[in-house]
Amino acid sequence: MSTDATLRLTVLGGLGPGRAAGAEARRLAGLAGRRSCLEVDLIDLAAACLPEPCPGVLPCDAPEPPAVRELRPWLDAADGFVVVAPAAAQPHPAGPLRRALVWCAEAFKARPVALHVRAGEEAPRALRTLRADLAEAHALTVRETDCPDHALDELIWWARALRTARAQTPYPF
């Protein structure tokens, strides 16, 4: 469990095909793990096998699938997230993330998220889509995306500030 000085950061990978994305998520988790103020979890969202939500049925009204029950505590424990996504946009660049945002929405509310999208022609579009999805989930995306060290600095600042704010006044929305 995190102490007051220690933040729990969850790196979310598994949002696209290929070994490069997994390697990049591991590299960023390792980079974050070298920070003494962070405890780091690495989660492959594709491997979590979250089901598609039923159309027209709110997740709170549907039976909770076992995959959601297993993943939820890990996401709830996070003070902040790093999302590693592919630049190539399929119909949606991050289906596994979108399912996590639907099933585990509370875990993302009033929490910072740093986005790491691999360079490519579609990277700006992927970033816009991810930012929109996270804004809808009431998450705060950090602005820095080009330098992982600076993104972590910004993420740590926001994670501390938002954890303090949530402790003083629970997020009401």
Side-chain angles (χ1 to χ4, degrees):
M1 192 54 98
S2 298
T3 66
D4 285 340
T6 304
L7 297 167
R8 177 157 306 275
L9 176 70
T10 300
V11 177
L12 300 173
L15 305 185
R19 298 170 72 144
E24 189 64 12
R26 286 189 299 280
R27 183 184 78 80
L28 289 172
L31 182 68
R34 289 196 287 270
R35 306 258 184 140
S36 61
C37 64
L38 295 176
E39 293 176 0
V40 180
D41 294 318
L42 175 60
I43 296 175
D44 182 333
L45 283 176
C49 299
L50 297 177
E52 288 290 339
C54 298
V57 177
L58 295 173
C60 60
D61 294 334
E64 187 174 71
V68 174
R69 260 192 316 278
E70 290 174 21
L71 180 62
R72 184 184 310 281
W74 291 96
L75 298 180
D76 285 345
D79 292 303
F81 299 92
V82 174
V83 172
V84 181
Q90 297 90 23
H92 187 276
L97 176 62
R98 184 169 269 182
R99 289 189 296 274
L101 290 171
V102 169
W103 284 110
C104 304
E106 291 297 315
F108 293 91
K109 285 185 177 178
R111 288 191 173 72
V113 180
L115 300 173
H116 182 78
V117 176
R118 295 181 53 208
E121 193 173 296
E122 293 291 325
R125 179 175 172 223
L127 278 169
R128 280 192 306 274
T129 302
L130 290 168
R131 284 187 197 286
D133 288 347
L134 289 159
E136 195 172 307
H138 295 243
L140 180 139
T141 55
V142 301
R143 188 74 188 132
E144 179 62 55
T145 60
D146 295 332
C147 176
D149 279 320
H150 293 162
L152 284 173
D153 291 342
E154 190 175 348
L155 184 77
I156 289 167
W157 189 93
W158 278 110
R160 280 200 178 105
L162 291 171
R163 180 171 68 180
T164 299
R166 286 189 316 272
Q168 291 175 357
T169 308
Y171 188 73
F173 308 101

